[in-house]
Amino acid sequence: MYHVVLSVCGCCGALRPRYKRLVDNIFPEDPEDGLVKTNMEKLTFYALSAPEKLDRIGAYLSERLIRDVGRHRYGYVCIAMEALDQLLMACHCQSINLFVESFLKMVAKLLESEKPNLQILGTNSFVKFANIEEDTPSYHRSYDFFVSRFSEMCHSSHDDMEIKTKIRMSGIKGLQGVVRKTVNDELQANIWDPQHMDKIVPSLLFNLQHVEEAESRSPSPLQAPEKEKENPAELAERCLRELLGRAAFGNIKNAIKPVLIHLDNHSLWEPKVFAIRCFKIIMYSIQPQHSHLVIQQLLSHLDANSRSAATVRAGIVEVLSEAAVIAATGSVGPTVLEMFNTLLRQLRLSIDYALTGSYDVAMSLGTKIIKEHEERMFQEAVIKTIGSFASTLPTYQRSEVILFIMSKVPLPSLHHPMETGKTGENRNRLTQIMLLKSLLQVSTGFQCNNMMSALPSNFLDRLLSTALMEDAEIRLFVLEILISFIDRHGNRHKFSTISTLSDISVLKLKVDKCSRQDTVFMKKHSQQLYRHIYLSCKEETNIQKHYEALYGLLALISIELANEEVVVDLIRLVLAVQDVAQVNEENLPVYNRCALYALGAAYLNLISQLTTVPAFCQHIHEVIETRKKEAPYMLPEDVFVERPRLSQNLDGVVIEFLFRQSKISEVLGGSGYNSDRLCLPYIPQLTDEDRLSKRKSIGETISLQVEVESRNSPEKEERVPAEEITYETLKKAIVDSVAVEEQERERRRQVVEKFQKAPFEEIAAHCGARASLLQSKLNQIFEITIRPPPSPSGTITAAYGQPQNHSIPVYEMKFPDLCVY
């Protein structure tokens, strides 16, 4: 009888464990009534009072939830999850880990369900759990299932648009919860491992890419902000920003690689809009000091896609451009030259692809069809990227980039490999054009107060060596590059049109006094610049753009780098250009001759107003007015137009149409300019001007006279007998000494005067002749000194009785003891 009573009592609710009774009491008879709050408070108090019972409470709640899910009693399922959430929020004891395991088991059960409402319910509970900071760490907890399941929910394709949106948003929130729970806990599973990043990042990008269309029914203004928050794309963007913002230095690579793979797999480089948006999000979300890691990833990806379609490579380059500009505001680090080196390498590869028609140069036929216009589009994208990134660099880095690009330009006159044959010549030409285009992009807007730093000798020599190439396009690029460097006050656009304005004040030019550094630069390089300008004017293939660039270059030199000496030399240079058009030794076409006349008129009109010498301005104005009446084909207004009005007879140009050097010298000489130098015609240096410019003093070089005679010279077999010194000889020397001193003084005066007034070209020519004489004497000395030494034993008699030096090897010679140390 006792056993029967005991078994009956065991079935009674009053005899069950207290935690089970408390759990059962929170469930109402009708699930629609919701959680019984008073009983829930009792359960919470019990859990806080007896934390060792928390794991049993969790296990029992999990058991009831699984049973209710199986019986489709979803009302009780919601109540159980609400109770779990409240217990999690209230309890933070050391034994919470076992309770969490039960909680996660219940969440996983809900996520496995096919019911969207249960999936959303489980996700919401997990998000609440993710926001809880636990007091005790967990060493064995795993979130692999949740990463996989939430990523799968992010790609939901439910038929109902509203349900699909809710499921995707739940998936995004779940991933956000996983990141928050694990990213800062070193004891948790490493969320930055590729196995997790390869699921999380593409899921976020998928929702960021597919922006859902707005619902047909327009929400009220009060509901609009709420509806915007329900957009999966915006939620995915916030989650991605949070993820990248938490990334440490060593985790950036694992976070960026899935982005690149996603863009590859979904062909998102070609429209490039989404790719640019993604990397803007990335660059603005990561820490600034990590920017260069993203740039390196993009550069590596560009190299990996070297044989992809030009549109794909162009998309990567444009994304790189946007990312590099953002990175430049932070820290780019050592990737500056690496980036330019990669871009220039890709530029050269693109040129090869366009010429050969194949991605494999070794093969005659490529596996892919290469479209030349697409390669050209890619090349323009590379050049644009080079310019946009360089514009954000500081001056010192920009100077390094300029030198780096110039060193890659193939030049025949320097030690640079040049390819031969028709294909090689085309490749060289295209490479030169593309690199000069890149250099022009980098130099645009370049601000450097010191021209010696902006245009160092090694750079200027290489640049000007391309200014005289036969290719007109290359010459034009060189002129534009020079203009970009010299224009430091934004005056370039004011000279885009060649004209003879009667009042240049309308141009509102910004003019500063020539600095000492600029004066030193012009003393060193002016003749080099003048020579290339003069020879560029004589090119037969020049078109209107060339003359506009030449005019702009002359004008900017006059504004930026001019002192009195430079103004005089520029006037002489332009008058020499006028002589080229008049004499026409080069047999230039009529258009070129008229263009040179017009160029000279425009520049002299400008410089006369800049010098503000009334007589000079009057002479220039008179000639221009005369040309307007009788020879308009010699003015820019009739030459540099769409349909130039030219004259076929330029051989009989009267002197009234020309700017006269004697008249200009006279009027400027009266205002303090060097009239003697103005009277001398300009003659370009056709020798190595750099060699002359590096000498300490032209006067020292010319006055250096070395008379060296070798006593063993073979040309002088007989010695000239020494002059006999007598009383008469001494007397004559004393009497003539005064006259000799006067002659020597006069000779020195003439030499000094010659160096002061003679033109530089005459001094250079004289110096070259003296240098040749000196070199011949040195050659004689070297020829003598390198001969084998004579034998210490004297000479021996050869055939025909002629004495002949007998040479003994040095190691066989016997030297006196005094020579041994």
Side-chain angles (χ1 to χ4, degrees):
M1 184 67 182
Y2 173 77
H3 293 290
V4 173
V5 173
L6 183 62
S7 61
V8 172
C9 294
C11 297
C12 297
L15 300 178
R16 301 182 65 196
R18 186 182 179 186
Y19 74 89
K20 286 189 177 182
R21 296 200 307 271
L22 291 174
V23 170
D24 291 338
N25 291 338
I26 66 174
F27 293 94
E29 294 183 2
D30 186 357
E32 293 184 359
D33 294 339
L35 181 68
V36 180
K37 294 183 179 180
T38 54
N39 293 336
M40 185 64 210
E41 292 176 358
K42 295 178 182 179
L43 178 62
T44 304
F45 179 78
Y46 177 78
L48 292 173
S49 303
E52 69 276 3
K53 301 292 185 178
L54 188 60
D55 58 329
R56 298 184 183 182
I57 295 173
Y60 185 59
L61 275 172
S62 176
E63 179 184 342
R64 285 204 55 157
L65 182 138
I66 294 173
R67 184 176 67 243
D68 290 336
V69 169
R71 295 176 179 177
H72 304 289
R73 301 169 64 181
Y74 300 124
Y76 289 117
V77 171
C78 295
I79 294 174
M81 291 307 301
E82 185 179 356
L84 281 170
D85 293 342
Q86 292 190 22
L87 287 174
L88 275 175
M89 298 297 293
C91 303
H92 297 279
C93 59
Q94 294 182 353
S95 59
I96 197 174
N97 282 330
L98 295 177
F99 176 75
V100 170
E101 294 299 328
S102 299
F103 169 78
L104 294 178
K105 182 179 179 181
M106 296 165 65
V107 171
K109 184 66 176 179
L110 294 179
L111 295 176
E112 289 175 350
S113 172
E114 295 182 357
K115 298 291 183 180
N117 291 336
L118 294 183
Q119 297 176 14
I120 296 172
L121 178 64
T123 302
N124 293 336
S125 295
F126 183 85
V127 170
K128 293 177 183 178
F129 161 70
N131 293 326
I132 298 174
E133 294 184 5
E134 299 182 50
D135 295 336
T136 55
S138 174
Y139 299 92
H140 58 281
R141 195 179 300 163
S142 174
Y143 295 95
D144 294 358
F145 166 79
F146 295 99
V147 171
S148 301
R149 183 55 183 155
F150 287 138
S151 299
E152 184 180 350
M153 291 170 64
C154 289
H155 292 80
S156 173
S157 57
H158 199 280
D159 296 335
D160 191 326
M161 178 69 70
E162 185 176 357
I163 295 177
K164 179 174 67 174
T165 300
K166 290 181 178 180
I167 294 176
R168 288 186 178 183
M169 291 187 65
S170 295
I172 297 170
K173 290 178 182 178
L175 292 177
Q176 190 176 27
V178 173
V179 171
R180 289 178 179 176
K181 197 64 180 175
T182 60
V183 72
N184 292 324
D185 191 350
E186 296 180 357
L187 299 175
Q188 301 285 358
N190 189 0
I191 200 65
W192 300 107
D193 286 343
Q195 59 178 350
H196 299 312
M197 285 291 105
D198 291 345
K199 297 176 183 177
I200 295 175
V201 174
S203 300
L204 298 177
L205 294 179
F206 176 79
N207 286 275
L208 192 64
Q209 173 188 352
H210 294 83
V211 180
E212 303 293 352
E213 296 181 359
E215 295 181 356
S216 56
R217 54 186 180 87
S218 57
S220 64
L222 294 176
Q223 296 175 336
E226 248 182 78
K227 294 296 180 182
E228 289 178 2
K229 291 180 182 179
E230 295 177 357
N231 188 347
E234 294 183 3
L235 184 61
E237 180 178 342
R238 288 199 300 271
C239 184
L240 183 61
R241 289 182 184 276
E242 182 177 350
L243 175 68
L244 295 169
R246 295 172 179 266
F249 183 86
N251 302 325
I252 293 292
K253 183 178 180 180
N254 291 341
I256 301 302
K257 188 175 179 181
V259 178
L260 300 173
I261 295 175
H262 181 83
L263 297 176
D264 287 341
N265 293 339
H266 295 270
S267 302
L268 296 174
W269 293 111
E270 297 180 25
K272 72 197 172 189
V273 176
F274 178 73
I276 291 176
R277 182 187 175 196
C278 282
F279 274 90
K280 280 186 176 181
I281 293 173
I282 292 171
M283 297 305 293
Y284 284 118
S285 301
I286 62 174
Q287 300 178 31
Q289 61 268 28
H290 299 162
S291 299
H292 67 281
L293 297 176
V294 181
I295 302 298
Q296 287 177 341
Q297 288 286 97
L298 282 169
L299 291 173
S300 301
H301 198 67
L302 179 60
D303 282 335
N305 284 271
S306 294
R307 298 191 179 187
S308 298
T311 52
V312 173
R313 285 179 281 131
I316 299 175
V317 167
E318 294 202 19
V319 170
L320 182 62
S321 173
E322 297 287 342
V325 170
I326 299 173
T329 59
S331 173
V332 186
T335 58
V336 175
L337 290 183
E338 178 189 351
M339 176 178 177
F340 286 101
N341 191 32
T342 300
L343 291 175
L344 294 180
R345 181 171 62 250
Q346 292 296 326
L347 199 60
R348 184 177 288 274
L349 284 175
S350 177
I351 293 172
D352 291 338
Y353 295 159
L355 289 174
T356 60
S358 171
Y359 288 122
D360 191 352
V361 181
M363 297 175 60
S364 59
L365 295 176
T367 56
K368 298 180 180 179
I369 300 176
I370 294 180
K371 299 178 181 179
E372 189 175 352
H373 72 278
E374 291 182 353
E375 291 296 335
R376 194 177 300 112
M377 177 193 66
F378 168 72
Q379 293 162 13
E380 294 296 332
V382 171
I383 293 171
K384 177 185 174 184
T385 300
I386 290 174
S388 61
F389 181 45
S391 63
T392 63
L393 297 177
T395 302
Y396 74 95
Q397 279 188 331
R398 206 165 176 182
S399 300
E400 292 178 359
V401 171
I402 288 169
L403 293 174
F404 179 74
I405 296 176
M406 194 67 219
S407 66
K408 300 290 185 180
V409 179
L411 300 175
S413 59
L414 299 174
H415 301 290
H416 197 286
M418 293 289 292
E419 300 185 34
T420 57
K422 186 174 181 181
T423 303
E425 291 176 358
N426 290 336
R427 183 178 288 108
N428 288 331
R429 178 184 176 275
L430 289 175
T431 304
Q432 290 166 350
I433 289 176
M434 291 303 165
L435 292 179
L436 289 175
K437 273 187 177 181
S438 304
L439 196 58
L440 179 59
Q441 287 285 332
V442 176
S443 62
T444 301
F446 182 72
Q447 295 291 332
C448 185
N449 295 328
N450 188 355
M451 289 303 298
M452 294 291 289
S453 301
L455 295 172
S457 298
N458 55 345
F459 171 76
L460 190 61
D461 292 343
R462 291 183 63 89
L463 181 63
L464 292 180
S465 64
T466 61
L468 302 179
M469 288 187 173
E470 295 182 0
D471 193 286
E473 189 175 3
I474 292 177
R475 296 200 310 272
L476 184 59
F477 278 127
V478 174
L479 293 174
E480 294 289 347
I481 291 169
L482 285 172
I483 288 172
S484 296
F485 279 110
I486 296 175
D487 181 24
R488 293 172 293 184
H489 293 86
N491 292 315
R492 170 66 183 96
H493 66 281
K494 300 173 184 177
F495 302 110
S496 57
T497 302
I498 307 178
S499 62
T500 54
L501 291 173
S502 57
D503 184 9
I504 63 170
S505 62
V506 297
L507 297 177
K508 297 181 181 180
L509 300 175
K510 298 178 182 178
V511 183
D512 283 343
K513 185 179 179 181
C514 183
S515 64
R516 182 177 177 275
Q517 292 86 353
D518 292 343
T519 301
V520 173
F521 172 79
M522 290 304 291
K523 282 187 177 294
K524 185 175 182 180
H525 296 294
S526 59
Q527 296 301 323
Q528 193 179 8
L529 287 170
Y530 301 155
R531 172 178 180 260
H532 286 82
I533 292 174
Y534 176 80
L535 296 178
S536 295
C537 291
K538 298 169 66 175
E539 293 290 341
E540 186 177 349
T541 55
N542 285 344
I543 58 176
Q544 180 176 337
K545 289 185 178 180
H546 290 85
Y547 295 112
E548 290 173 349
L550 287 166
Y551 174 67
L553 182 57
L554 288 169
L556 290 170
I557 292 176
S558 304
I559 293 175
E560 299 280 354
L561 306 172
N563 52 27
E564 183 179 322
E565 182 180 350
V566 172
V567 170
V568 170
D569 285 340
L570 288 173
I571 293 173
R572 292 174 57 226
L573 172 63
V574 173
L575 292 175
V577 171
Q578 178 182 256
D579 292 340
V580 170
Q582 183 183 8
V583 179
N584 196 24
E585 292 180 353
E586 307 291 334
N587 293 323
L588 295 174
V590 175
Y591 173 79
N592 296 64
R593 295 177 66 186
C594 292
L596 292 181
Y597 280 127
L599 175 65
Y603 176 72
L604 290 175
N605 174 69
L606 173 69
I607 197 66
S608 65
Q609 297 186 54
L610 289 175
T611 55
T612 64
V613 177
F616 184 29
C617 294
Q618 182 180 358
H619 171 66
I620 302 301
H621 179 70
E622 289 175 354
V623 176
I624 291 176
E625 289 299 321
T626 304
R627 289 187 180 184
K628 285 182 179 179
K629 295 176 182 178
E630 303 182 30
Y633 51 84
M634 300 174 70
L635 292 174
E637 287 77 9
D638 278 33
V639 177
F640 300 118
V641 292
E642 185 176 355
R643 294 183 179 179
R645 293 181 288 274
L646 309 176
S647 173
Q648 298 301 323
N649 184 16
L650 293 176
D651 296 330
V653 176
V654 297
I655 193 171
E656 287 78 10
F657 297 166
L658 302 177
F659 302 99
R660 286 166 287 169
Q661 191 160 9
S662 58
K663 180 66 175 177
I664 294 175
S665 175
E666 177 185 347
V667 296
L668 288 180
S671 298
Y673 288 86
N674 190 344
S675 59
D676 293 337
R677 189 170 181 82
L678 277 168
C679 290
L680 297 171
Y682 172 76
I683 301 175
Q685 284 182 289
L686 300 179
T687 57
D688 187 4
E689 64 271 15
D690 290 337
R691 177 177 59 82
L692 297 176
S693 64
K694 291 176 182 177
R695 293 176 178 168
K696 294 182 180 179
S697 170
I698 299 295
E700 292 176 3
T701 306
I702 297 178
S703 62
L704 179 63
Q705 299 179 3
V706 180
E707 297 293 335
V708 181
E709 293 184 0
S710 173
R711 291 181 295 179
N712 296 326
S713 176
E715 290 83 6
K716 301 184 67 176
E717 296 182 357
E718 296 182 0
R719 292 178 179 271
V720 177
E723 183 179 357
E724 185 180 358
I725 302 176
T726 62
Y727 172 76
E728 294 295 329
T729 306
L730 292 174
K731 181 180 178 181
K732 183 178 180 181
I734 293 172
V735 172
D736 295 338
S737 61
V738 177
V740 171
E741 289 179 2
E742 289 293 331
Q743 292 177 2
E744 181 65 20
R745 191 177 296 109
E746 178 66 18
R747 188 185 69 80
R748 291 181 180 178
R749 187 188 64 79
Q750 292 176 357
V751 170
V752 173
E753 184 178 1
K754 181 177 182 179
F755 292 143
Q756 291 177 345
K757 296 184 177 181
F760 180 81
E761 294 79 10
E762 182 178 345
I763 295 175
H766 187 53
C767 176
R770 289 288 185 179
S772 300
L773 177 61
L774 175 61
Q775 186 63 42
S776 65
K777 292 296 183 182
L778 290 174
N779 290 337
Q780 293 179 14
I781 294 172
F782 294 150
E783 184 181 357
I784 293 169
T785 55
I786 63 176
R787 289 181 178 177
S791 170
S793 61
T795 60
I796 61 174
T797 303
Y800 306 104
Q802 297 292 332
Q804 181 178 358
N805 290 332
H806 179 69
S807 298
I808 298 176
V810 175
Y811 57 84
E812 293 183 1
M813 290 182 184
K814 295 181 179 180
F815 296 95
D817 294 339
L818 294 176
C819 294
V820 180
Y821 292 94

